[in-house]
Amino acid sequence: KQNKTTKSNIEKSLKMKAAYITERPTVGTLTDKLHIDAAKLPTPTAGDLKPDEILVEVKAFSINVDDIHVAEGSFLGGLPGMQRKKLKEQSPLAIGNDFAGTITAVGDKVDTNRYKVGQRVCGHNKTQAVFGEMGTWSEYTITKAINIVAIPNEVSFQEAAALVLPLYVIDGLLEVVRKKKLINCHSKTACKVVGIGTRGGIGSVLI
């Protein structure tokens, strides 16, 4: 029992390198408030997981404008109810939503036929750290099976991380189109659509 307690205490004392904030920056000042070090955030372990959660060692992450807006409290123009909770004094919050990496542990209720330790996956955390979940600009992050997919062997970690947000947004847009029947296409008829402003990440992947 003493050995288990000692191991637990050692694990809790280990810190991971991360990009994090300890106070909400005003718009345009994130770089002034951003910390990048291994001094504050504890390294998550298998013991920290809820039954439906997955621990991932982050190999690559993307930097999106929404990540900055979330940190500033200006996500979706500052829409009430969509901002992250106010930080407690000196409480560090890792930023970031998207990631690609390797599974290092899974919760008791995770389907191990689908997701195994050592598997390469990409995805996002629960709600982009809006409500205080662990971010992804860090060496490790915690996510759920519903938020990740396996990375094909021919796709690198960097490529997978860059594709997460565009594909997530595109899937949501196409779902709206399907449900609302915004485009009247028949299976035997080719449809022509116009894409406006498709030079960015989301638009280029959509094409």
Side-chain angles (χ1 to χ4, degrees):
K1 184 177 180 180
Q2 186 176 2
N3 289 339
K4 287 184 178 180
T5 302
T6 302
K7 181 181 178 182
S8 177
N9 290 336
I10 291 173
E11 287 178 342
K12 288 179 180 178
S13 67
L14 295 175
K15 307 296 182 185
M16 66 175 174
K17 189 173 183 180
Y20 64 92
I21 53 176
T22 56
E23 59 182 293
R24 175 178 286 174
T26 56
V27 174
T29 66
L30 176 61
T31 54
D32 297 330
K33 302 293 184 180
L34 189 65
H35 303 270
I36 304 177
D37 56 49
K40 286 275 187 181
L41 284 165
T43 302
T45 67
D48 298 318
L49 297 178
K50 295 177 182 178
D52 61 343
E53 291 182 334
I54 295 173
L55 179 61
V56 176
E57 181 180 6
V58 177
K59 300 294 186 180
F61 59 80
S62 59
I63 299 177
N64 303 297
V65 68
D66 283 347
D67 298 325
I68 298 171
H69 291 165
V70 165
E72 296 173 342
S74 59
F75 183 55
L76 294 180
L79 186 67
M82 292 301 297
Q83 309 313 310
R84 66 168 177 76
K85 290 179 180 177
K86 206 166 186 179
L87 289 172
K88 295 178 181 178
E89 188 176 357
Q90 299 303 310
S91 175
L93 175 68
I95 304 171
N97 176 45
D98 309 340
F99 67 86
T102 305
I103 294 176
T104 60
V106 297
D108 295 337
K109 291 186 178 179
V110 174
D111 183 0
T112 52
N113 291 318
R114 187 176 180 187
Y115 293 115
K116 301 179 176 66
V117 172
Q119 186 175 8
R120 297 183 343 128
V121 295
C122 65
H124 57 88
N125 64 359
K126 187 178 178 184
T127 48
Q128 210 166 345
V130 174
F131 299 108
E133 288 81 5
M134 182 182 298
T136 60
W137 297 6
S138 54
E139 291 182 294
Y140 292 87
T141 193
I142 293 175
T143 186
K144 295 186 178 183
I146 195 173
N147 294 334
I148 61 175
V149 295
I151 301 175
N153 292 332
E154 64 273 16
V155 177
S156 70
F157 286 120
Q158 291 83 358
E159 290 169 332
L163 285 169
V164 171
L165 182 63
L167 289 175
Y168 180 72
V169 173
I170 289 166
D171 181 66
L173 291 173
L174 293 178
E175 184 64 21
V176 171
V177 169
R178 285 191 291 266
K179 286 185 176 181
K180 299 293 184 179
K181 297 181 179 179
L182 299 179
I183 300 177
N184 187 20
C185 279
H186 302 286
S187 58
K188 295 181 180 180
T189 306
C191 288
K192 294 182 179 180
V193 296
V194 176
I196 300 173
T198 55
R199 296 180 63 184
I202 295 171
S204 58
V205 172
L206 175 60
I207 291 175

